[in-house]
């Protein structure tokens, strides 16, 4: 039988919630039982942290995480994922033009704050093509950890990449519509994100 007790509680930065939450530091220890009564402890106690909001369990080292450093790491990860999503939208038709390359570089540098040059962009495009990664599949996978604001930002990056040459063809319209559903955006939020993206003349 495993007996679990609370050893401590307080506030911590939850990586799952991406915000400060209440936690409980729990200790779980196996006991040998006699007639369902725990009598002899077996081995040492296993410590883990439980978030009171998402109920996820974490290793106790999570209590030592610097929130600012963690937030920056997560921001960098999101920007990388949003840029890859935009690249995959451009590659949807199997071709990438000079205009689209320039647009992707500007999207990375100005919109996402993710500096990128032609060489790195070329490597990312090559990897995507070799692995035959589809935009919809990729976004479905990574968007699960995006916040609502990040979903809007990623959609804007994908929209600006898709419209780099001025117009959207039927397949691009269909893809962006699918992204709306994948990102779980309602009509109002989706339209507001597109309208905001259209105002960014520098991109």
């Amino acid at each position: 039988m495993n007996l679990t007790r609370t050893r401590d509680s307080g506030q911590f930065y939850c990586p799952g919630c991406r915000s400060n939450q209440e936690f409980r530091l729990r200790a779980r220890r196996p006991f040998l039982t006699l007639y369902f009564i725990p009598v002899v402890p077996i081995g040492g106690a296993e410590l883990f942290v439980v978030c009171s909001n998402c109920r996820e369990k974490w290793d106790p080292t999570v209590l030592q995480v610097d929130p600012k450093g963690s937030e920056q790491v997560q921001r960098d990860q999101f920007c990388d994922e949003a840029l890859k999503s935009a690249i995959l939208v451009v590659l949807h038709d199997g071709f990438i033009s000079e205009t689209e390359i320039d647009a992707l570089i500007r999207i990375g540098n100005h919109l996402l704050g993710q500096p990128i040059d032609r060489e790195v962009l070329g490597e990312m495009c090559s990897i995507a093509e070799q692995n035959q990664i589809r935009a919809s599949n990729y976004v479905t996978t990574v968007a699960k950890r995006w916040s609502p604001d990040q979903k809007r930002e990623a959609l804007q990056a994908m929209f600006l990449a898709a419209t780099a040459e001025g117009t959207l063809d039927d397949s691009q319209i269909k893809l962006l519509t699918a992204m709306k559903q994948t990102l779980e955006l309602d009509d109002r939020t989706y339209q507001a994100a597109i309208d905001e993206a259209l105002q960014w003349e520098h991109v």
Side-chain angles (χ1 to χ4, degrees):
M1 176 184 293
N2 288 318
L3 292 184
T4 306
R5 294 184 174 90
T6 297
R7 291 238 182 130
D8 196 7
S9 62
Q11 279 208 337
F12 82 129
Y13 181 83
C14 176
C17 300
R18 298 185 179 184
S19 61
N20 289 329
Q21 300 291 342
E22 296 290 330
F23 77 87
R24 287 187 299 159
L25 177 62
R26 305 274 279 165
R28 179 169 50 214
R29 191 173 188 181
F31 274 77
L32 183 65
T33 62
L34 181 63
Y35 299 108
F36 303 104
I37 300 173
V39 291
V40 181
I42 304 172
E46 176 191 358
L47 296 176
F48 59 95
V49 172
V50 180
C51 174
S52 62
N53 183 53
C54 67
R55 304 297 180 185
E56 285 290 332
K57 296 180 178 65
W58 306 94
D59 185 86
T61 55
V62 75
L63 300 177
Q64 303 168 12
V65 171
D66 174 18
K68 292 183 179 179
S70 179
E71 287 174 358
Q72 185 58 51
V73 169
Q74 291 177 357
R75 174 64 189 176
D76 292 343
Q77 180 183 21
F78 161 71
C79 289
D80 181 67
E81 291 170 347
L83 183 58
K84 287 179 180 176
S85 299
I87 290 172
L88 291 171
V89 166
V90 167
L91 291 173
H92 181 65
D93 60 2
F95 176 78
I96 183 168
S97 68
E98 282 296 321
T99 302
E100 291 170 331
I101 290 172
D102 291 340
L104 287 168
I105 291 174
R106 289 196 298 273
I107 288 168
N109 291 340
H110 300 296
L111 172 59
L112 299 173
Q114 181 88 342
I116 186 172
D117 57 29
R118 292 178 67 90
E119 182 177 349
V120 173
L121 180 62
E123 291 175 0
M124 295 174 73
C125 291
S126 177
I127 291 172
E129 288 180 320
Q130 288 175 6
N131 294 325
Q132 297 183 338
I133 302 172
R134 296 178 57 188
S136 56
N137 293 347
Y138 179 75
V139 174
T140 298
T141 301
V142 299
K144 294 176 182 177
R145 53 178 168 260
W146 292 350
S147 69
D149 287 342
Q150 288 174 332
K151 290 179 179 181
R152 291 178 70 252
E153 193 174 355
L155 173 67
Q156 291 165 339
M158 289 185 276
F159 173 79
L160 291 169
T163 57
E165 295 189 317
T167 59
L168 289 171
D169 61 30
D170 290 341
S171 65
Q172 289 173 317
I173 293 173
K174 184 178 180 180
L175 178 60
L176 289 174
T177 301
M179 289 300 176
K180 169 179 170 285
Q181 298 174 348
T182 299
L183 297 173
E184 300 177 341
L185 301 175
D186 57 40
D187 291 340
R188 182 177 179 182
T189 303
Y190 177 81
Q191 192 58 52
I194 298 300
D195 290 343
E196 183 179 346
L198 289 171
Q199 303 304 314
W200 295 335
E201 296 181 359
H202 63 278
V203 177

